[in-house]
Amino acid sequence: TYLDNYVGDRSETHGAQTVSGITLDYVSQITQDQPCMYTITEFDANAYVNKITSWVKSELTSNMYLLNHEQTHFDVTEVHARKLNKVVAAEYLGKQFACPSFSGQSQNDAISEKILQDLLLIRGQVTQEKVQMDLDYDTHTKHGTVPPMQKEWDDYITNLLEYYEPFKDKQETPLTLEEIEANFSQPP
């Protein structure tokens, strides 16, 4: 339930607060030895609620307007997680990249570091858009206290969720056996 996600400390100025973010998960694979090339074969961004820092005042736990408003904040995060999945699917999945230099670390560690650096940069950009949308949402709805504006935003976010529905789940581009055999040298 909504209330299970709201257990953090309370504020004196607001009735509730949703603290949410986006996690990243990916799988990469070296696709060629000389010169070294890699690809990202799976990627998944997911929205989450931080249960420790999210909260609702106990006297407002039955206020469905407030809980709906907070749920929509989470939905804004989900929209942006899906958007991140879309961007990574378009710009990274299945594409070949030259391996970074790996002096002082393993090749796999260097590749993982480069991928994470790239993905965190994109997530940072998407998170900035999410933060701005949350601010606009609270400003326009006056923190959910203007029902007509709340309804407009609920509909808008629902439409965005539907638009990004194809990017809700893990994005995959598995390599075929032929691709693997064509790109890997045989072991000695």
Side-chain angles (χ1 to χ4, degrees):
T1 66
Y2 296 130
L3 296 179
D4 293 336
N5 290 324
Y6 298 96
V7 296
D9 291 333
R10 301 333 189 229
S11 163
E12 297 300 319
T13 59
H14 294 87
Q17 180 174 350
T18 299
V19 178
S20 58
I22 300 172
T23 63
L24 306 175
D25 190 27
Y26 68 90
V27 175
S28 65
Q29 185 168 358
I30 296 175
T31 57
Q32 183 176 304
D33 287 331
Q34 294 297 327
C36 179
M37 301 291 284
Y38 71 91
T39 187
I40 298 173
T41 58
E42 297 177 18
F43 179 77
D44 196 14
N46 289 291
Y48 70 91
V49 170
N50 184 325
K51 293 183 178 188
I52 295 170
T53 56
S54 298
W55 54 267
V56 62
K57 288 183 178 178
S58 57
E59 65 271 17
L60 298 174
T61 58
S62 62
N63 183 329
M64 295 311 291
Y65 290 108
L66 176 65
L67 295 177
N68 174 68
H69 179 80
E70 294 306 312
Q71 176 65 45
T72 302
H73 274 294
F74 174 78
D75 292 344
V76 166
T77 304
E78 176 63 23
V79 162
H80 287 84
R82 293 178 187 188
K83 182 176 185 178
L84 182 55
N85 278 333
K86 180 182 180 190
V87 169
V88 171
E91 296 181 15
Y92 288 89
L93 277 183
K95 295 186 178 172
Q96 300 287 317
F97 297 96
C99 297
S101 60
F102 53 94
S103 60
Q105 59 184 334
S106 75
Q107 186 176 43
N108 285 337
D109 287 348
I111 291 168
S112 292
E113 187 177 302
K114 173 65 173 139
I115 292 171
L116 192 56
Q117 183 181 47
D118 291 346
L119 295 177
L120 290 176
L121 180 65
I122 296 168
R123 183 179 71 177
Q125 294 165 346
V126 170
T127 298
Q128 285 179 348
E129 294 172 15
K130 173 222 169 292
V131 167
Q132 186 59 55
M133 184 177 279
D134 274 329
L135 290 170
D136 292 345
Y137 170 55
D138 275 337
T139 299
H140 294 148
T141 65
K142 297 196 185 325
H143 297 275
T145 61
V146 181
M149 287 305 294
Q150 181 67 49
K151 172 77 169 103
E152 280 187 36
W153 272 88
D154 288 346
D155 292 345
Y156 175 61
I157 298 304
T158 297
N159 288 336
L160 286 174
L161 287 169
E162 289 171 6
Y163 175 78
Y164 287 111
E165 180 70 22
F167 301 96
K168 178 180 179 183
D169 298 315
K170 178 170 50 175
Q171 306 299 301
E172 299 180 79
T173 58
L175 296 175
T176 66
L177 183 58
E178 293 80 23
E179 290 172 318
I180 292 170
E181 290 177 65
N183 291 310
F184 280 90
S185 58
Q186 294 299 320

